[in-house]
Amino acid sequence: METTVLIADDHPLFREALRLVVAEALGAEAQTIECASLDEAREQVEHSPNIDLALMDLNMPGMDGLAGLASLRAHMPTLPIIVVSADERHATVDAALRAGVSGFIPKSFSRADMAAAVNAVLDGDIFFPATSDRNTGAPPAYDPGMTDMAARIATLTKQERCILEYLIRGKSNKFVAIELDIAESTVKAHVSSILRKLKVHSRTLAVIKAGPLLQLN
């Protein structure tokens, strides 16, 4: 049966490299669909239900780091997703796997190693690199709460999302008001709205719950 792979990366040269990886892993008969943003990826998945695997960059437009990844996972819960990223830190790998992806391939991998990882995931395995600063050889457990929080983050307005990012960086309401040129009372109102939409009872909990999803911005 013909295998169809979605390649999502905003760099044309790397999309070309991934096409070669797919060909090496699956043979010349494999089909690829390419896109350069999260919105395009969602559109392709909606219109091409026969996609068997997605290879995705974390930092392409619309991804918003792990928040975009988790929201994408929520939109297509059965599609195997492999993150292909230049960020090889074990914290990034762990967080991506907890967001529900099936694999994580560093962009520093050789074509042969990438092809082997693709085949492993299509065979039903979970693939992740053995990074030098990882303390355990076992993959982290999938945390469905990340997809729930990503969906809540997606309900924030642009202004609320901006203020949430300031909160995660530890900025005060006064600082945010000055930076955004709005009244401090307006900031407080936005914070209340953020807490309500994220379903948390304090700004500390908002930072704890949303911070890991936005750490790559």
Side-chain angles (χ1 to χ4, degrees):
M1 182 181 293
E2 185 179 274
T3 302
T4 301
V5 179
L6 174 68
I7 296 174
D9 195 294
D10 60 335
H11 295 288
L13 289 178
F14 201 77
R15 290 201 302 272
E16 181 179 355
L18 289 178
R19 283 201 305 272
L20 296 176
V21 168
V22 171
E24 180 163 340
L26 305 173
E29 69 276 8
Q31 298 294 311
T32 57
I33 300 173
E34 297 181 28
C35 58
S37 71
L38 177 64
D39 287 343
E40 290 178 14
R42 284 176 173 159
E43 183 177 350
Q44 291 291 351
V45 170
E46 289 173 1
H47 290 88
S48 304
N50 61 324
I51 293 174
D52 300 292
L53 175 70
L55 303 175
M56 313 198 72
D57 180 39
L58 275 182
N59 295 316
M60 65 180 175
M63 282 297 282
D64 290 331
L66 293 173
L69 176 62
S71 66
L72 187 65
R73 174 74 284 165
H75 271 77
M76 41 181 152
T78 63
L79 176 66
I81 298 174
I82 298 178
V83 167
V84 186
S85 177
D87 185 350
E88 302 178 27
R89 293 173 298 172
H90 82 277
T92 302
V93 177
D94 286 354
L97 290 172
R98 287 194 181 97
V101 302
S102 299
F104 191 107
I105 302 176
K107 287 187 175 181
S108 62
F109 266 25
S110 67
R111 186 193 304 175
D113 286 341
M114 287 187 177
V118 166
N119 279 321
V121 170
L122 286 174
D123 286 341
D125 293 333
I126 294 177
F127 179 87
F128 65 96
T131 52
S132 59
D133 56 352
R134 180 185 293 276
N135 295 320
T136 175
Y142 167 48
D143 181 2
M146 293 189 73
T147 57
D148 292 339
M149 182 54 64
R152 295 170 194 167
I153 291 173
T155 67
L156 301 179
T157 66
K158 185 176 180 180
Q159 184 86 309
E160 289 169 346
R161 170 61 181 270
C162 180
I163 291 173
L164 174 60
E165 291 174 353
Y166 276 118
L167 298 184
I168 290 171
R169 293 199 293 269
K171 304 304 182 182
S172 66
N173 288 351
K174 183 176 182 179
F175 179 94
V176 175
I178 293 172
E179 286 292 301
L180 299 182
D181 194 24
I182 57 178
E184 191 169 347
S185 58
T186 302
V187 175
K188 291 179 180 179
H190 280 308
V191 170
S192 295
S193 178
I194 291 168
L195 299 184
R196 184 176 65 255
K197 290 181 178 180
L198 297 186
K199 297 183 180 180
V200 295
H201 301 296
S202 71
R203 56 196 293 153
T204 300
L205 278 175
V207 170
I208 292 173
K209 297 290 187 180
L213 286 167
L214 302 178
Q215 66 179 345
L216 300 183
N217 286 359

